[in-house]
Amino acid sequence: MKLGRNDACWCGSGVKYKNCHMAFDQKIMRYRMAGHMVPDREMIKTPAQIAGIRKAGAVNTEILNRVDSIIKAGISTEEINEFVHRNTLELGGIPAPLNYDGFPKSVCTSVNDVVCHGIPSAECILKDGDIINVDVTTIVDGYYGDASRMYCIGNVSDEARKLVEVTKKCTDLGLQEVKPWGHLGDIGAVISECAYQNGFTVVREIGGHGVGVQFHEEPWVSHIGTRGTDMLLVPGMIFTIEPMINAGGEEVFQDEEDGWTIYTEDGSLTAQWEYTVLVTEDGAEVLSR
């Protein structure tokens, strides 16, 4: 519905549209008329939604902080799952992965050649030299926070440590490209450039995503890109940056039996870090990491 100048703004501020988001919407329209891909209004969060997502993100980060204290050789990924589940409830949240499209656990644990969506298991015992991604998503008061971290277990190989460190660098460089009136392609461009310069590859089929009101929303965030292309970034957008970087080839496959676990095609190591990011008026705010 088209708003009149004196109607209440769509953002819920209670202020007249002309004094709130009218100039903002007109700026987006000018970009659209110039041929840019621009976000739908549903992708632009209201102040109330941002406050809720920020709270969920803070809880999500705290859960990962607690995981830092227990992850080590000898622990099973099922123990990590139980720990995340228990601490999520203790902090007033709900583990978003549990029963999401049939996913059976409260967290994703992806070890060595598992790119993402690893299912925790009592049989999977972490050992010296492993690398693992722990991906936590938390619902608080109906809003979502989402982030993941890599962990090096004991004495890992030089290749594994470099992969983990370069993937973190890729994620941080991607974060630096989140600026109002920039483009999603700027993020993918810097991530892929960093990965390839270090002799690694970038998973193309799986990317970041909008998040906050739902677990997965638009836009889709590619970690391969060209500067100045893809969707326009505007204040109020919230999405994840979560590059999956492989030590070998970029090809991946899905486990046909469990329907979830994604592996590198060639069995090479893989790493991922994930942040939930808000585009602000002057840059970006990390809501969970």
Side-chain angles (χ1 to χ4, degrees):
M1 182 181 70
K2 186 174 181 180
L3 291 176
R5 292 170 53 84
N6 292 311
D7 290 337
C9 187
W10 55 262
C11 76
S13 65
V15 177
K16 290 181 179 180
Y17 181 50
K18 66 182 179 182
N19 296 323
C20 195
H21 271 89
M22 190 172 79
F24 174 86
D25 287 346
Q26 289 173 340
K27 184 172 184 178
I28 293 175
M29 181 57 67
R30 288 195 294 272
Y31 273 96
R32 184 194 297 273
M33 296 296 290
H36 295 264
M37 185 191 308
V38 303
D40 295 333
R41 187 169 290 168
E42 290 74 20
M43 297 185 210
I44 303 169
K45 303 300 189 284
T46 67
Q49 289 172 332
I50 292 169
I53 299 164
R54 184 180 285 117
K55 180 180 177 181
V59 171
N60 198 70
T61 298
E62 174 59 21
I63 293 165
L64 279 165
N65 288 343
R66 294 185 181 189
V67 170
D68 288 354
S69 68
I70 61 104
I71 198 162
K72 60 183 179 180
I75 193 173
S76 72
T77 53
E78 175 57 25
E79 289 177 271
I80 297 170
N81 174 68
E82 293 171 358
F83 181 87
V84 167
H85 185 92
R86 184 170 62 254
N87 279 270
T88 300
L89 298 183
E90 179 184 307
L91 291 166
I94 299 169
L98 185 61
N99 299 320
Y100 176 78
D101 284 348
F103 190 81
K105 300 293 181 176
S106 296
V107 66
C108 296
T109 52
S110 302
V111 182
N112 294 333
D113 63 336
V114 177
V115 178
C116 60
H117 305 161
I119 300 175
S121 167
E123 284 71 50
C124 182
I125 309 296
L126 297 182
K127 63 183 184 301
D128 190 71
D130 284 341
I131 60 173
I132 178 174
N133 177 270
V134 178
D135 191 346
V136 175
T137 309
T138 308
I139 309 170
V140 178
D141 300 330
Y143 295 104
Y144 292 75
D146 190 8
S148 77
R149 296 180 188 173
M150 290 299 302
Y151 297 91
C152 293
I153 307 302
N155 298 304
V156 303
S157 67
D158 290 343
E159 178 192 47
R161 189 169 300 281
K162 179 183 177 182
L163 177 65
V164 170
E165 291 173 351
V166 168
T167 304
K168 177 67 159 57
K169 182 178 180 181
C170 286
T171 312
D172 289 335
L173 288 172
L175 174 63
Q176 291 175 21
E177 295 298 324
V178 180
K179 301 167 186 174
W181 319 111
H183 293 81
L184 279 175
D186 304 340
I187 299 169
V190 72
I191 287 172
S192 54
E193 179 181 347
C194 178
Y196 294 137
Q197 283 179 346
N198 283 278
F200 301 133
T201 61
V202 182
V203 174
R204 295 171 179 262
E205 291 94 332
I206 311 166
H209 54 88
V211 67
V213 176
Q214 300 177 50
F215 197 159
H216 294 94
E217 308 172 20
E218 295 296 330
W220 187 73
V221 181
S222 175
H223 301 117
I224 300 279
T226 302
R227 288 187 177 277
T229 66
D230 209 330
M231 187 171 287
L232 185 73
L233 300 176
V234 305
M237 292 177 70
I238 297 177
F239 51 84
T240 67
I241 301 174
E242 48 179 305
M244 286 149 260
I245 309 299
N246 295 347
E250 66 188 36
E251 296 81 9
V252 301
F253 72 95
Q254 185 178 65
D255 188 303
E256 293 183 358
E257 290 190 14
D258 67 38
W260 281 101
T261 311
I262 307 294
Y263 294 90
T264 56
E265 182 70 44
D266 58 10
S268 63
L269 293 173
T270 183
Q272 177 193 23
W273 295 81
E274 178 183 14
Y275 303 154
T276 294
V277 181
L278 165 68
V279 184
T280 67
E281 294 289 343
D282 57 3
E285 178 186 347
V286 178
L287 301 182
S288 190
R289 69 166 85 208

